Amino acid sequence: AQSVAQPEDQVNVAEGNPLTVKCTYSVSGNPYLFWYVQYPNRGLQFLLKYITGDNLVKGSYGFEAEFNKSQTSFHLKKPSALVSDSALYFCAVSIYTGRRALTFGSGTRLQVQP
Amino acid sequence: NAGVTQTPKFQVLKTGQSMTLQCAQDMNHNSMYWYRQDPGMGLRLIYYSASEGTTDKGEVPNGYNVSRLNKREFSLRLESAAPSQTSVYFCASSEVVTSRTYEQYFGPGTRLTVT
């Protein structure tokens, strides 16, 4: 079975500071990893993905994530946070199986203070 | 190009009532999914359809049925609603090619309350 852990319910950061949202995963086989963002009363929007190749993945809105196989982690990062980055962030994992569906973490709320 | 659309946006049901949540995508994706989102639990897969004509259970299928009407449409039916089914429901679609899983695109959600 595959699983995802987001150990922090909430992350607070000041505008202009770097931010990190943590994610660890557990799968049998090679993982496909994703980050999604959810703004209030909206659906999930895709941010970035790791399928294979370079461990540092760049995505939308200046976000990036680093795949670390030995630590089974896929932390989301941004060098300089904006107030508009405040939202709910979900990490998700999938492998190639008949299901091909995502398993989501419980989500981390990011609050960026002005 | 509307992406993934869902109807209705909001619904209130009484216990025992039935309803169907509709989902359609215009991206020509093969795979479609239904998730529910509950506070502190992320999204959990209810049912999915890998391709037109096929459906399969996810993590939490009890109390739900689905129909993949055609390539575009994937509906979720609650036959006899229960308060435990109060949740926000999301439909998603993706293109899966051979051994690669591509990102899923989500609809805006349906907020369902069962009293």
Side-chain angles (χ1 to χ4, degrees):
Chain A
Q2 56 201 46
S3 65
V4 175
Q6 292 181 245
E8 301 153 319
D9 290 335
Q10 181 156 322
V11 169
N12 297 308
V13 64
E15 188 173 31
N17 282 1
L19 69 88
T20 299
V21 182
K22 294 179 180 177
C23 171
T24 59
Y25 65 90
S26 173
V27 296
S28 300
N30 293 321
Y32 300 143
L33 293 155
F34 302 81
W35 275 102
Y36 285 84
V37 60
Q38 185 180 33
Y39 298 100
N41 300 313
R42 302 288 295 275
L44 276 69
Q45 295 179 29
F46 169 75
L47 274 181
L48 51 79
K49 66 184 176 187
Y50 172 82
I51 302 296
T52 187
D54 195 348
N55 289 344
L56 184 64
V57 178
K58 294 188 185 297
S60 306
Y61 313 121
F63 284 94
E64 58 188 29
E66 186 165 13
F67 172 63
N68 187 317
K69 189 171 184 177
S70 63
Q71 296 186 5
T72 61
S73 67
F74 190 56
H75 301 331
L76 181 70
K77 301 183 180 189
K78 188 174 182 182
S80 178
L82 299 172
V83 172
S84 57
D85 292 331
S86 298
L88 188 56
Y89 290 80
F90 289 97
C91 182
V93 68
S94 179
I95 59 173
Y96 175 66
T97 66
R99 176 170 293 182
R100 301 169 182 163
L102 295 173
T103 297
F104 285 85
S106 55
T108 298
R109 187 164 300 282
L110 174 66
Q111 290 280 8
V112 181
Q113 285 110 12
Chain B
N1 191 338
V4 180
T5 57
Q6 292 183 238
T7 55
K9 287 188 167 48
F10 302 95
Q11 185 71 48
V12 179
L13 291 178
K14 293 188 186 328
T15 297
Q17 287 184 319
S18 62
M19 78 162 296
T20 299
L21 281 65
Q22 306 287 354
C23 173
Q25 53 91 9
D26 62 2
M27 295 173 283
N28 203 34
H29 286 167
N30 286 314
S31 299
M32 296 185 74
Y33 313 84
W34 276 105
Y35 294 91
R36 59 177 288 172
Q37 182 182 24
D38 302 295
M41 300 188 72
L43 279 76
R44 293 180 291 169
L45 182 68
I46 305 172
Y47 270 93
Y48 74 102
S49 171
S51 61
E52 185 179 354
T54 68
T55 61
D56 207 346
K57 296 178 180 178
E59 296 175 64
V60 289
N62 291 342
Y64 305 95
N65 284 301
V66 290
S67 295
R68 183 74 183 266
L69 305 169
N70 48 55
K71 191 171 185 178
R72 289 188 64 247
E73 298 172 287
F74 189 38
S75 62
L76 178 71
R77 182 159 178 84
L78 286 70
E79 291 290 353
S80 179
S84 60
Q85 294 178 304
T86 293
S87 188
V88 181
Y89 292 84
F90 289 101
C91 178
S93 71
S94 71
E95 186 61 31
V96 178
V97 179
T98 60
S99 63
R100 301 181 71 86
T101 298
Y102 290 87
E103 60 269 25
Q104 294 183 14
Y105 294 85
F106 285 80
T110 295
R111 189 173 296 273
L112 175 67
T113 301
V114 183
T115 62

